[in-house]
Amino acid sequence: MNLGFLGLQFSFGLQQGNMVPIYSWLGADESNLPILQLAGPMTGLLIQPLVGALSDRTSSRFGRRTPYFLIGAVMCSLGLLFMPFSASILMAASLLWLLDAGNNITMEPYRAYVSDRLDESQHEIGYLSQSAFTGLAQCLAFLSPSILVYWVGIDRNAVDAHNIPTITHISFMVGAVLSITTILWSIWRVPELPLSEDEKARIAAAPKSAGATLGEIGRAIVEMPQAMRSMAWMSLFQWYGFSIYWSYSALSIGRSIYGTADKSSEAFRAAVLTTQQLGAFYNLVGFAAALAMVPISRALGASRVHMACLAAGGLGMVAMAHVAGAPSAPGPVFSALAMPDLGSHTPLLLIAVTLGMCWASIMGNPYIILAGSIPPERTGVYMGIFNMMIVIPMLLNGLTFGWIYNHVLGADPRNALSFAGALLVMAAITMLRVRDPRRTAELVHA
């Protein structure tokens, strides 16, 4: 059921690992990187709540969520296919809007699809399995350029007329194929459950106009469950911090480990590969951690597990800002995994473990809390509204962090990572206010 999420998150991993380098190769200024990535939060803010509400009210021969899977997958594949051929910053930014629109059309119906198919006792395994597929997909996406270099033998310095490497072109083409084929496979293998007569009657009676849809979103916000409302501050700090990480990790590693700020240099291309290998490894850790968290979250509660993982990730980001020293000789295991640059730098490996635990928790535990607190008939709209808590911090990052970077952090990407780590620790502290509804109910019953 979650295989389609692999294709979707492979696309997201390609964005995380390659958009900042693509913008840098095309000549973007460092302080403009957050605003150039506004496509994700803007499309998420506009599209996901609407699509979530619409999918709750859709009744078609293909199902309730499936039409949105298909439309989003096609848009995502087209964006991936053409992105490496960008000849300017404007072209790359425009294609990113198409790509993110496709991702966002698919994302929340996919979250709701899991809740639709599984009963409450299976929510932990459902959402943490989705988190595991996220880790696996993003691991493969981050690692694909290194695989092409170390396994296939493609020259990492082979670039086109716009400085975009050949390995980036190939990775995005693979992503375009995966994005649509894995979603088609999931739809074919695990079709949506048929709607009951009561559900069909409710959908038929619900008004379908744009005003009615917006009204439903507004009512849902007003009636938002307390458990969901209490996660707002966590989401603000968590996603603002990770937005900084995605924008400045490669630039930080370029300065601290490779001693370069020259985006056209061979050293910077090496820094990009190391950063992608770091992303691959922490997502591989996340894949294993998500599965390991299933019994732990059941025993201790998703909110407490998430608090601990956020704190670990924040401390890892602060440590990453201060790593130094060039890579040495990698171990044979990391060479075989096409991660030699990362495998020869032990501090980065330890940091990747903390980031992997944090990312696995982010992609699973908040959704366990959410799924246990919202009414089933409003799953789509509340998943979309919860996404607003993700994209609004990203939007704020795009609008504000350029000024902070230049005037507070000295235009140094290493300081940016320290700032991001501090925000994740603050997010962990806010989880003290969040109560897992299912865990609370179990304690009361006991």
Side-chain angles (χ1 to χ4, degrees), residues 14 37 62-63 70 82 92 95 109 111 113 121 158 179 193 206 210 214 221 234-235 241 275-276 280 315 330 389 391:
L14 287 176
Q37 301 197 79
F62 299 106
L70 297 175
F82 292 110
L95 286 169
R111 295 280 193 192
Y113 164 64
S121 66
S179 180
L193 294 174
L214 292 174
I221 291 173
M234 175 274 292
S235 290
T275 306
Q276 290 169 340
L315 295 175
M389 296 183 186
V391 300

Side-chain angles (χ1 to χ4, degrees), residues 320-332:
M320 183 176 167
H322 297 91
V323 295
S328 55

Side-chain angles (χ1 to χ4, degrees), residues 15 66 87 105 124 141 163 183 185 218 233 273 326 338 391 416:
Q15 287 178 240
T66 299
I105 288 171
E124 284 94 350
N163 292 316
I183 286 176
W185 174 265
W233 283 106
L273 275 182
V391 300

Side-chain angles (χ1 to χ4, degrees), residues 368-436:
I368 295 172
I369 298 170
L370 180 63
S373 65
I374 58 178
E377 68 274 9
R378 278 180 153 179
T379 297
V381 68
Y382 272 124
M383 288 291 181
I385 291 170
F386 190 66
N387 187 69
M388 293 171 68
M389 296 183 186
I390 297 173
V391 300
I392 288 175
M394 293 181 176
L395 181 60
L396 290 173
N397 173 269
L399 295 175
T400 63
F401 193 71
W403 185 91
I404 296 172
Y405 183 73
N406 278 334
H407 296 90
V408 178
L409 302 176
D412 190 326
R414 293 165 292 190
N415 293 337
L417 282 195
S418 293
F419 186 69
L423 289 175
L424 285 187
V425 172
M426 292 172 67
I429 293 171
T430 68
M431 288 300 295
L432 290 169
R433 299 176 58 248
V434 179
R435 295 290 179 266
D436 186 339

